């Protein structure tokens, strides 16, 4: 069966520091991969999605970037974090053809 | 811009009660409506609805889509404390993009 791993679970970073969050999927090949941010009391906002290695689509302009160096690895990065980057970041995967997305356990990011 | 609105924002019920959650959507090129349950961390998939008027059931949970009214409901019967969670609704516009509502927080008291 497929599993998705996301780390770290929590992270506290100072303003201006870099960021790297990692997500890996097991048990499937060529998944669609997604990064979401969930602000308190709000729904999930799609940040990036990827349909293959090196293929990244950005949904909203922001201080973050994403990369997919391997088929089942998705990385969310920032060179310099802002206070507004605080939130709960979720990685998800899906198969093709409009199948449901399945989420990792998330990373709670606090910026000080 | 796609829009998904859930109501109520929160509710508190007692064990054994029945709960009805609402979701309305305005999604360009609508393909399907999904429901998720989020307890502490990862949202877990409940239902995906594509056809209008066909109820999907899983145990005490059921859901139905009304494409004419651009809405969906999620019912939970005989609620238990383990049903306490945030329930998220999302509209899908293509193979990749889900637009989520803000969620309904359900609290079930013993």
């Amino acid at each position: 069966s497929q599993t998705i791993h996301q780390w770290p679970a929590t992270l506290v970073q100072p303003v201006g520091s870099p960021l790297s969050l990692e997500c890996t999927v097991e048990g499937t090949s060529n998944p669609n991969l997604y990064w979401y941010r969930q602000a308190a009391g709000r729904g999930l906002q799609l940040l990036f999605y990827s349909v293959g290695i090196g293929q990244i689509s950005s949904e909203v302009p922001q201080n973050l970037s994403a990369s997919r160096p391997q088929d089942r690895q998705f990385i969310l990065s920032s060179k310099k974090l802002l206070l507004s980057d605080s939130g709960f970041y979720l990685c998800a995967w899906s198969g093709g053809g409009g199948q449901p997305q399945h989420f990792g356990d998330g990373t709670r990011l606090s910026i000080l | 811009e796609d829009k998904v609105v859930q109501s109520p924002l929160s509710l508190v019920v007692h064990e054994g009660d029945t709960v009805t959650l609402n979701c309305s959507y305005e999604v360009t090129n609508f393909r399907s409506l999904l429901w998720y349950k989020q307890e502490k961390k990862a949202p877990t998939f409940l239902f995906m609805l594509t056809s209008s008027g066909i109820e999907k059931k899983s145990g005490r949970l059921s859901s139905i889509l009304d494409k004419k009214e651009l809405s969906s409901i999620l019912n939970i019967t005989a609620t238990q404390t383990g049903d306490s969670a945030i329930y998220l609704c999302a509209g899908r516009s293509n193979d990749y993009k889900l637009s989520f509502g803000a969620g309904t927080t359900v609290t079930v008291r013993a």
Side-chain angles (χ1 to χ4, degrees):
Chain A
S1 64
Q2 301 87 1
T3 54
I4 179 168
H5 302 282
Q6 199 180 332
W7 66 93
T10 58
L11 189 60
V12 180
Q13 292 284 99
V15 169
S17 63
L19 173 74
S20 180
L21 302 181
E22 191 163 339
C23 171
T24 58
V25 180
E26 294 177 358
T28 187
S29 59
N30 197 32
N32 296 327
L33 297 172
Y34 312 83
W35 278 111
Y36 287 87
R37 177 167 56 208
Q38 186 176 29
R42 300 181 68 178
L44 278 66
Q45 181 187 35
L46 179 63
L47 302 176
F48 301 95
Y49 69 88
S50 172
V51 301
I53 295 174
Q55 299 179 61
I56 309 294
S57 296
S58 173
E59 283 295 303
V60 293
Q62 58 207 313
N63 184 40
L64 302 168
S65 61
S67 61
R68 184 171 178 173
Q70 300 180 45
D71 181 44
R72 289 169 289 170
Q73 183 186 29
F74 206 22
I75 297 172
L76 184 69
S77 304
S78 174
K79 291 182 180 176
K80 277 184 151 184
L81 285 167
L82 307 172
L83 282 174
S84 58
D85 292 324
S86 292
F88 190 47
Y89 289 84
L90 287 157
C91 180
W93 77 273
S94 71
Q99 294 179 37
Q101 295 177 19
H102 301 277
F103 289 84
D105 280 344
T107 294
R108 196 160 300 279
L109 176 64
S110 299
I111 311 298
L112 303 178
Chain B
E1 187 178 322
D2 295 340
K3 189 176 172 185
V4 176
V5 178
Q6 292 186 243
S7 63
L9 287 181
S10 65
L11 71 163
V12 179
V13 298
H14 289 96
E15 275 192 317
D17 288 350
T18 293
V19 163
T20 298
L21 309 182
N22 301 287
C23 175
S24 64
Y25 62 89
E26 293 174 25
V27 173
T28 306
N29 299 320
F30 175 82
R31 299 279 192 89
S32 58
L33 192 291
L34 291 85
W35 285 96
Y36 287 84
K37 176 183 181 182
Q38 185 177 24
E39 294 181 78
K40 290 187 178 175
K41 296 182 179 178
T44 54
F45 170 71
L46 295 174
F47 299 110
M48 183 166 74
L49 305 158
T50 307
S51 301
S52 201
I54 299 175
E55 185 182 54
K56 290 213 171 179
K57 289 194 77 168
S58 176
R60 296 176 293 101
L61 277 67
S62 64
S63 184
I64 196 163
L65 177 67
D66 186 337
K67 283 186 173 180
K68 193 174 174 185
E69 296 296 325
L70 304 183
S71 66
S72 174
I73 60 170
L74 175 69
N75 281 318
I76 310 173
T77 59
T79 52
Q80 303 171 358
T81 54
D83 296 324
S84 295
I86 300 172
Y87 290 84
L88 298 166
C89 164
R92 187 167 68 87
S93 56
N94 55 38
D95 277 352
Y96 316 113
K97 184 167 181 182
L98 291 181
S99 298
F100 280 85
T104 295
T105 300
V106 175
T107 303
V108 181
R109 296 221 166 115

Short mmCIF file of all heavy atoms in Angstrom, two decimals, chain A residues 24-80:
data_model
loop_
_atom_site.label_atom_id
_atom_site.label_comp_id
_atom_site.label_asym_id
_atom_site.label_seq_id
_atom_site.Cartn_x
_atom_site.Cartn_y
_atom_site.Cartn_z
N THR A 24 8.12 12.40 1.01
CA THR A 24 8.37 11.27 0.12
C THR A 24 7.17 10.33 0.14
O THR A 24 6.47 10.22 1.14
CB THR A 24 9.63 10.48 0.53
OG1 THR A 24 9.46 10.01 1.86
CG2 THR A 24 10.87 11.34 0.45
N VAL A 25 6.95 9.69 -0.98
CA VAL A 25 5.85 8.75 -1.14
C VAL A 25 6.43 7.37 -1.42
O VAL A 25 7.40 7.25 -2.19
CB VAL A 25 4.92 9.18 -2.29
CG1 VAL A 25 3.76 8.20 -2.45
CG2 VAL A 25 4.39 10.59 -2.04
N GLU A 26 5.83 6.35 -0.82
CA GLU A 26 6.25 4.98 -1.07
C GLU A 26 5.09 4.17 -1.61
O GLU A 26 3.93 4.45 -1.35
CB GLU A 26 6.74 4.34 0.24
CG GLU A 26 8.00 4.97 0.81
CD GLU A 26 8.40 4.34 2.14
OE1 GLU A 26 7.67 3.45 2.63
OE2 GLU A 26 9.43 4.76 2.70
N GLY A 27 5.41 3.15 -2.40
CA GLY A 27 4.40 2.21 -2.85
C GLY A 27 3.67 2.60 -4.12
O GLY A 27 2.67 1.98 -4.47
N THR A 28 4.16 3.60 -4.81
CA THR A 28 3.56 4.00 -6.08
C THR A 28 4.63 4.66 -6.93
O THR A 28 5.67 5.09 -6.41
CB THR A 28 2.38 4.96 -5.85
OG1 THR A 28 1.71 5.20 -7.09
CG2 THR A 28 2.84 6.29 -5.27
N SER A 29 4.38 4.74 -8.22
CA SER A 29 5.33 5.42 -9.09
C SER A 29 4.61 6.51 -9.86
O SER A 29 3.40 6.43 -10.11
CB SER A 29 5.99 4.43 -10.07
OG SER A 29 5.01 3.80 -10.85
N ASN A 30 5.38 7.54 -10.23
CA ASN A 30 4.86 8.69 -10.97
C ASN A 30 3.61 9.30 -10.34
O ASN A 30 2.61 9.53 -11.04
CB ASN A 30 4.58 8.31 -12.44
CG ASN A 30 4.46 9.54 -13.31
OD1 ASN A 30 5.09 10.55 -13.05
ND2 ASN A 30 3.59 9.45 -14.31
N PRO A 31 3.63 9.56 -9.03
CA PRO A 31 2.45 10.19 -8.43
C PRO A 31 2.38 11.67 -8.77
O PRO A 31 3.40 12.28 -9.10
CB PRO A 31 2.70 10.01 -6.94
CG PRO A 31 4.19 10.04 -6.81
CD PRO A 31 4.71 9.36 -8.06
N ASN A 32 1.19 12.24 -8.70
CA ASN A 32 1.06 13.70 -8.66
C ASN A 32 1.33 14.12 -7.22
O ASN A 32 0.86 13.47 -6.28
CB ASN A 32 -0.34 14.13 -9.07
CG ASN A 32 -0.66 13.76 -10.50
OD1 ASN A 32 0.21 13.75 -11.36
ND2 ASN A 32 -1.91 13.43 -10.75
N LEU A 33 2.10 15.18 -7.05
CA LEU A 33 2.47 15.62 -5.70
C LEU A 33 2.05 17.06 -5.49
O LEU A 33 2.04 17.86 -6.43
CB LEU A 33 3.99 15.49 -5.50
CG LEU A 33 4.53 14.06 -5.56
CD1 LEU A 33 6.06 14.05 -5.55
CD2 LEU A 33 3.99 13.24 -4.40
N TYR A 34 1.70 17.40 -4.24
CA TYR A 34 1.13 18.70 -3.92
C TYR A 34 1.69 19.23 -2.61
O TYR A 34 1.95 18.46 -1.68
CB TYR A 34 -0.40 18.59 -3.75
CG TYR A 34 -1.11 17.85 -4.85
CD1 TYR A 34 -1.18 16.46 -4.84
CD2 TYR A 34 -1.72 18.53 -5.89
CE1 TYR A 34 -1.83 15.76 -5.85
CE2 TYR A 34 -2.39 17.84 -6.91
CZ TYR A 34 -2.44 16.47 -6.88
OH TYR A 34 -3.09 15.79 -7.88
N TRP A 35 1.83 20.55 -2.52
CA TRP A 35 2.08 21.23 -1.25
C TRP A 35 0.92 22.18 -0.98
O TRP A 35 0.53 22.98 -1.85
CB TRP A 35 3.37 22.04 -1.29
CG TRP A 35 4.61 21.25 -1.05
CD1 TRP A 35 5.59 20.96 -1.95
CD2 TRP A 35 5.04 20.66 0.18
NE1 TRP A 35 6.59 20.21 -1.37
CE2 TRP A 35 6.27 20.02 -0.05
CE3 TRP A 35 4.49 20.60 1.47
CZ2 TRP A 35 6.98 19.33 0.94
CZ3 TRP A 35 5.19 19.92 2.44
CH2 TRP A 35 6.41 19.30 2.18
N TYR A 36 0.37 22.09 0.26
CA TYR A 36 -0.69 22.97 0.71
C TYR A 36 -0.24 23.70 1.97
O TYR A 36 0.59 23.20 2.73
CB TYR A 36 -1.95 22.18 1.09
CG TYR A 36 -2.73 21.61 -0.06
CD1 TYR A 36 -2.41 20.36 -0.59
CD2 TYR A 36 -3.81 22.31 -0.60
CE1 TYR A 36 -3.16 19.82 -1.63
CE2 TYR A 36 -4.56 21.77 -1.65
CZ TYR A 36 -4.22 20.53 -2.15
OH TYR A 36 -4.97 20.01 -3.18
N ARG A 37 -0.85 24.86 2.22
CA ARG A 37 -0.70 25.53 3.51
C ARG A 37 -2.10 25.70 4.10
O ARG A 37 -3.04 26.07 3.39
CB ARG A 37 -0.04 26.90 3.36
CG ARG A 37 0.07 27.66 4.68
CD ARG A 37 0.99 28.84 4.59
NE ARG A 37 0.60 29.75 3.52
CZ ARG A 37 1.45 30.54 2.86
NH1 ARG A 37 2.75 30.52 3.16
NH2 ARG A 37 1.02 31.33 1.91
N GLN A 38 -2.19 25.44 5.41
CA GLN A 38 -3.46 25.60 6.12
C GLN A 38 -3.27 26.62 7.22
O GLN A 38 -2.55 26.38 8.19
CB GLN A 38 -3.92 24.26 6.70
CG GLN A 38 -5.30 24.31 7.33
CD GLN A 38 -5.75 22.94 7.81
OE1 GLN A 38 -4.94 22.10 8.18
NE2 GLN A 38 -7.05 22.70 7.80
N ALA A 39 -3.91 27.78 7.09
CA ALA A 39 -3.87 28.78 8.15
C ALA A 39 -4.97 28.46 9.15
O ALA A 39 -5.97 27.82 8.80
CB ALA A 39 -4.06 30.17 7.55
N ALA A 40 -4.81 28.92 10.37
CA ALA A 40 -5.77 28.62 11.44
C ALA A 40 -7.16 29.08 11.02
O ALA A 40 -7.36 30.22 10.61
CB ALA A 40 -5.35 29.33 12.73
N GLY A 41 -8.16 28.16 11.14
CA GLY A 41 -9.54 28.51 10.82
C GLY A 41 -9.83 28.69 9.35
O GLY A 41 -10.91 29.16 8.98
N ARG A 42 -8.90 28.28 8.53
CA ARG A 42 -9.11 28.43 7.09
C ARG A 42 -8.88 27.11 6.40
O ARG A 42 -8.29 26.19 6.95
CB ARG A 42 -8.17 29.49 6.54
CG ARG A 42 -8.37 30.84 7.18
CD ARG A 42 -7.45 31.87 6.60
NE ARG A 42 -7.81 32.16 5.21
CZ ARG A 42 -7.17 33.06 4.47
NH1 ARG A 42 -6.16 33.74 4.96
NH2 ARG A 42 -7.54 33.29 3.23
N GLY A 43 -9.34 27.03 5.18
CA GLY A 43 -9.16 25.80 4.41
C GLY A 43 -7.75 25.66 3.90
O GLY A 43 -6.88 26.50 4.14
N LEU A 44 -7.51 24.59 3.19
CA LEU A 44 -6.19 24.33 2.63
C LEU A 44 -6.01 25.15 1.35
O LEU A 44 -6.88 25.17 0.49
CB LEU A 44 -6.05 22.85 2.29
CG LEU A 44 -5.67 21.92 3.42
CD1 LEU A 44 -6.75 21.84 4.47
CD2 LEU A 44 -5.37 20.54 2.88
N GLN A 45 -4.86 25.80 1.25
CA GLN A 45 -4.53 26.57 0.05
C GLN A 45 -3.45 25.83 -0.72
O GLN A 45 -2.37 25.56 -0.17
CB GLN A 45 -4.05 27.96 0.45
CG GLN A 45 -3.69 28.85 -0.74
CD GLN A 45 -3.06 30.16 -0.33
OE1 GLN A 45 -2.31 30.22 0.64
NE2 GLN A 45 -3.35 31.21 -1.08
N LEU A 46 -3.73 25.52 -1.98
CA LEU A 46 -2.74 24.84 -2.81
C LEU A 46 -1.61 25.80 -3.15
O LEU A 46 -1.85 26.90 -3.67
CB LEU A 46 -3.40 24.32 -4.09
CG LEU A 46 -2.49 23.60 -5.08
CD1 LEU A 46 -1.91 22.32 -4.47
CD2 LEU A 46 -3.25 23.28 -6.36
N LEU A 47 -0.38 25.37 -2.86
CA LEU A 47 0.80 26.20 -3.15
C LEU A 47 1.47 25.75 -4.45
O LEU A 47 1.74 26.56 -5.34
CB LEU A 47 1.81 26.10 -2.01
CG LEU A 47 1.32 26.51 -0.62
CD1 LEU A 47 2.41 26.26 0.42
CD2 LEU A 47 0.89 27.96 -0.61
N PHE A 48 1.76 24.46 -4.56
CA PHE A 48 2.45 23.91 -5.73
C PHE A 48 1.91 22.53 -6.02
O PHE A 48 1.47 21.83 -5.12
CB PHE A 48 3.97 23.77 -5.47
CG PHE A 48 4.67 25.03 -5.12
CD1 PHE A 48 4.88 25.37 -3.79
CD2 PHE A 48 5.15 25.87 -6.11
CE1 PHE A 48 5.54 26.55 -3.46
CE2 PHE A 48 5.81 27.05 -5.79
CZ PHE A 48 6.00 27.39 -4.45
N TYR A 49 1.99 22.14 -7.30
CA TYR A 49 1.76 20.75 -7.63
C TYR A 49 2.74 20.33 -8.71
O TYR A 49 3.29 21.18 -9.44
CB TYR A 49 0.31 20.47 -8.02
CG TYR A 49 -0.15 21.04 -9.34
CD1 TYR A 49 0.00 20.34 -10.53
CD2 TYR A 49 -0.82 22.26 -9.37
CE1 TYR A 49 -0.46 20.86 -11.72
CE2 TYR A 49 -1.29 22.78 -10.55
CZ TYR A 49 -1.10 22.08 -11.72
OH TYR A 49 -1.57 22.59 -12.92
N SER A 50 2.96 19.01 -8.80
CA SER A 50 3.93 18.47 -9.74
C SER A 50 3.40 17.18 -10.34
O SER A 50 2.93 16.30 -9.61
CB SER A 50 5.26 18.20 -9.02
OG SER A 50 6.15 17.49 -9.86
N VAL A 51 3.50 17.07 -11.65
CA VAL A 51 3.03 15.85 -12.33
C VAL A 51 4.20 14.96 -12.74
O VAL A 51 3.98 13.87 -13.29
CB VAL A 51 2.15 16.18 -13.54
CG1 VAL A 51 0.94 17.00 -13.09
CG2 VAL A 51 2.92 16.92 -14.60
N GLY A 52 5.44 15.42 -12.52
CA GLY A 52 6.59 14.59 -12.86
C GLY A 52 7.88 15.25 -12.40
O GLY A 52 7.88 16.42 -11.96
N ILE A 53 8.98 14.52 -12.50
CA ILE A 53 10.29 15.02 -12.07
C ILE A 53 10.58 16.35 -12.77
O ILE A 53 10.46 16.46 -14.00
CB ILE A 53 11.40 14.00 -12.38
CG1 ILE A 53 11.20 12.74 -11.55
CG2 ILE A 53 12.77 14.60 -12.08
CD1 ILE A 53 12.16 11.63 -11.90
N GLY A 54 10.95 17.35 -11.96
CA GLY A 54 11.33 18.64 -12.51
C GLY A 54 10.18 19.50 -13.01
O GLY A 54 10.38 20.63 -13.45
N GLN A 55 8.94 18.99 -12.92
CA GLN A 55 7.77 19.75 -13.40
C GLN A 55 7.02 20.31 -12.19
O GLN A 55 6.44 19.55 -11.42
CB GLN A 55 6.84 18.84 -14.20
CG GLN A 55 7.48 18.24 -15.44
CD GLN A 55 6.50 17.34 -16.17
OE1 GLN A 55 5.45 17.79 -16.62
NE2 GLN A 55 6.83 16.08 -16.27
N ILE A 56 7.06 21.63 -12.04
CA ILE A 56 6.43 22.28 -10.90
C ILE A 56 5.49 23.36 -11.40
O ILE A 56 5.88 24.18 -12.24
CB ILE A 56 7.48 22.96 -9.98
CG1 ILE A 56 8.61 21.98 -9.62
CG2 ILE A 56 6.82 23.56 -8.75
CD1 ILE A 56 8.18 20.82 -8.76
N SER A 57 4.28 23.38 -10.86
CA SER A 57 3.33 24.46 -11.15
C SER A 57 3.04 25.19 -9.85
O SER A 57 2.79 24.56 -8.82
CB SER A 57 2.04 23.91 -11.73
OG SER A 57 2.26 23.30 -12.97
N SER A 58 3.08 26.52 -9.92
CA SER A 58 2.83 27.34 -8.74
C SER A 58 1.44 27.93 -8.84
O SER A 58 1.06 28.45 -9.89
CB SER A 58 3.87 28.45 -8.67
OG SER A 58 3.54 29.35 -7.62
N GLU A 59 0.70 27.84 -7.73
CA GLU A 59 -0.66 28.35 -7.74
C GLU A 59 -0.77 29.78 -7.24
O GLU A 59 -1.69 30.50 -7.62
CB GLU A 59 -1.57 27.44 -6.89
CG GLU A 59 -1.94 26.16 -7.58
CD GLU A 59 -2.81 26.38 -8.81
OE1 GLU A 59 -3.88 27.01 -8.68
OE2 GLU A 59 -2.42 25.95 -9.91
N VAL A 60 0.11 30.18 -6.36
CA VAL A 60 0.04 31.53 -5.80
C VAL A 60 1.45 32.11 -5.73
O VAL A 60 2.39 31.41 -5.42
CB VAL A 60 -0.61 31.55 -4.40
CG1 VAL A 60 -2.06 31.18 -4.48
CG2 VAL A 60 0.10 30.63 -3.45
N PRO A 61 1.58 33.41 -6.03
CA PRO A 61 2.91 34.04 -5.89
C PRO A 61 3.27 34.13 -4.41
O PRO A 61 2.42 34.41 -3.58
CB PRO A 61 2.70 35.42 -6.50
CG PRO A 61 1.24 35.68 -6.39
CD PRO A 61 0.56 34.35 -6.48
N GLN A 62 4.52 33.85 -4.08
CA GLN A 62 4.87 33.83 -2.67
C GLN A 62 6.38 33.74 -2.50
O GLN A 62 7.12 33.72 -3.47
CB GLN A 62 4.22 32.62 -2.02
CG GLN A 62 4.65 31.32 -2.68
CD GLN A 62 3.59 30.27 -2.52
OE1 GLN A 62 3.06 30.06 -1.45
NE2 GLN A 62 3.26 29.61 -3.60
N ASN A 63 6.75 33.60 -1.27
CA ASN A 63 8.15 33.56 -0.87
C ASN A 63 8.71 32.14 -0.89
O ASN A 63 9.81 31.91 -0.41
CB ASN A 63 8.23 34.14 0.56
CG ASN A 63 9.62 34.26 1.07
OD1 ASN A 63 10.53 34.64 0.34
ND2 ASN A 63 9.84 33.89 2.33
N LEU A 64 7.96 31.20 -1.39
CA LEU A 64 8.35 29.79 -1.34
C LEU A 64 8.60 29.25 -2.73
O LEU A 64 8.12 29.79 -3.72
CB LEU A 64 7.23 28.98 -0.67
CG LEU A 64 6.83 29.41 0.74
CD1 LEU A 64 5.53 28.74 1.15
CD2 LEU A 64 7.94 29.08 1.73
N SER A 65 9.35 28.14 -2.80
CA SER A 65 9.55 27.45 -4.06
C SER A 65 9.46 25.95 -3.79
O SER A 65 9.53 25.51 -2.63
CB SER A 65 10.91 27.79 -4.66
OG SER A 65 11.95 27.39 -3.78
N ALA A 66 9.29 25.17 -4.84
CA ALA A 66 9.20 23.72 -4.69
C ALA A 66 10.09 23.07 -5.73
O ALA A 66 10.34 23.64 -6.80
CB ALA A 66 7.76 23.24 -4.84
N SER A 67 10.55 21.87 -5.41
CA SER A 67 11.35 21.11 -6.36
C SER A 67 11.00 19.64 -6.23
O SER A 67 10.54 19.17 -5.19
CB SER A 67 12.85 21.32 -6.11
OG SER A 67 13.20 20.87 -4.81
N ARG A 68 11.22 18.93 -7.33
CA ARG A 68 10.96 17.48 -7.35
C ARG A 68 12.19 16.83 -7.99
O ARG A 68 12.20 16.56 -9.19
CB ARG A 68 9.69 17.17 -8.13
CG ARG A 68 9.32 15.69 -8.11
CD ARG A 68 7.94 15.49 -8.71
NE ARG A 68 7.58 14.08 -8.75
CZ ARG A 68 6.37 13.63 -9.10
NH1 ARG A 68 5.41 14.52 -9.42
NH2 ARG A 68 6.11 12.36 -9.12
N PRO A 69 13.18 16.53 -7.17
CA PRO A 69 14.43 15.97 -7.71
C PRO A 69 14.33 14.49 -8.07
O PRO A 69 15.10 14.02 -8.91
CB PRO A 69 15.44 16.20 -6.58
CG PRO A 69 14.59 16.28 -5.35
CD PRO A 69 13.28 16.86 -5.76
N GLN A 70 13.41 13.79 -7.45
CA GLN A 70 13.19 12.36 -7.75
C GLN A 70 11.69 12.12 -7.89
O GLN A 70 10.88 12.93 -7.45
CB GLN A 70 13.77 11.48 -6.64
CG GLN A 70 15.26 11.65 -6.42
CD GLN A 70 15.76 10.76 -5.30
OE1 GLN A 70 15.41 9.58 -5.22
NE2 GLN A 70 16.58 11.30 -4.43
N ASP A 71 11.35 10.98 -8.45
CA ASP A 71 9.95 10.69 -8.76
C ASP A 71 9.02 10.81 -7.56
O ASP A 71 7.89 11.29 -7.67
CB ASP A 71 9.85 9.28 -9.36
CG ASP A 71 8.42 8.92 -9.74
OD1 ASP A 71 7.74 9.76 -10.35
OD2 ASP A 71 7.98 7.79 -9.44
N ARG A 72 9.50 10.35 -6.39
CA ARG A 72 8.61 10.30 -5.23
C ARG A 72 9.07 11.23 -4.11
O ARG A 72 8.76 10.99 -2.95
CB ARG A 72 8.52 8.85 -4.73
CG ARG A 72 7.73 7.96 -5.68
CD ARG A 72 7.86 6.49 -5.33
NE ARG A 72 9.19 5.99 -5.63
CZ ARG A 72 9.63 4.80 -5.25
NH1 ARG A 72 8.87 4.01 -4.52
NH2 ARG A 72 10.83 4.40 -5.57
N GLN A 73 9.79 12.28 -4.47
CA GLN A 73 10.29 13.22 -3.49
C GLN A 73 9.89 14.64 -3.89
O GLN A 73 10.08 15.06 -5.04
CB GLN A 73 11.82 13.12 -3.40
CG GLN A 73 12.44 14.01 -2.35
CD GLN A 73 13.97 13.98 -2.41
OE1 GLN A 73 14.56 13.77 -3.46
NE2 GLN A 73 14.59 14.19 -1.26
N PHE A 74 9.33 15.36 -2.92
CA PHE A 74 8.86 16.72 -3.18
C PHE A 74 9.37 17.60 -2.06
O PHE A 74 9.22 17.25 -0.87
CB PHE A 74 7.33 16.73 -3.22
CG PHE A 74 6.72 17.83 -4.04
CD1 PHE A 74 7.41 18.49 -5.04
CD2 PHE A 74 5.39 18.20 -3.83
CE1 PHE A 74 6.83 19.48 -5.80
CE2 PHE A 74 4.79 19.20 -4.59
CZ PHE A 74 5.51 19.83 -5.57
N ILE A 75 10.01 18.71 -2.40
CA ILE A 75 10.65 19.56 -1.40
C ILE A 75 10.08 20.97 -1.48
O ILE A 75 9.93 21.52 -2.58
CB ILE A 75 12.18 19.58 -1.61
CG1 ILE A 75 12.75 18.17 -1.42
CG2 ILE A 75 12.85 20.56 -0.65
CD1 ILE A 75 14.20 18.04 -1.79
N LEU A 76 9.79 21.54 -0.34
CA LEU A 76 9.33 22.93 -0.24
C LEU A 76 10.45 23.74 0.39
O LEU A 76 10.97 23.35 1.43
CB LEU A 76 8.07 23.01 0.61
CG LEU A 76 7.40 24.38 0.74
CD1 LEU A 76 6.80 24.81 -0.59
CD2 LEU A 76 6.33 24.35 1.81
N SER A 77 10.79 24.87 -0.24
CA SER A 77 11.95 25.64 0.22
C SER A 77 11.65 27.12 0.27
O SER A 77 10.72 27.62 -0.37
CB SER A 77 13.13 25.43 -0.75
OG SER A 77 13.45 24.08 -0.89
N SER A 78 12.50 27.80 1.04
CA SER A 78 12.52 29.26 1.03
C SER A 78 13.95 29.70 1.31
O SER A 78 14.65 29.08 2.10
CB SER A 78 11.58 29.83 2.07
OG SER A 78 11.72 31.24 2.15
N LYS A 79 14.36 30.78 0.69
CA LYS A 79 15.70 31.31 0.97
C LYS A 79 15.68 32.17 2.22
O LYS A 79 16.64 32.21 2.99
CB LYS A 79 16.19 32.13 -0.21
CG LYS A 79 16.49 31.29 -1.44
CD LYS A 79 17.03 32.13 -2.57
CE LYS A 79 17.31 31.26 -3.79
NZ LYS A 79 17.77 32.05 -4.95
N LYS A 80 14.56 32.90 2.42
CA LYS A 80 14.46 33.80 3.58
C LYS A 80 13.02 33.82 4.07
O LYS A 80 12.16 34.40 3.42
CB LYS A 80 14.85 35.23 3.17
CG LYS A 80 16.29 35.54 3.14
CD LYS A 80 16.46 37.03 2.81
CE LYS A 80 17.72 37.56 3.42
NZ LYS A 80 17.89 38.99 3.21
#
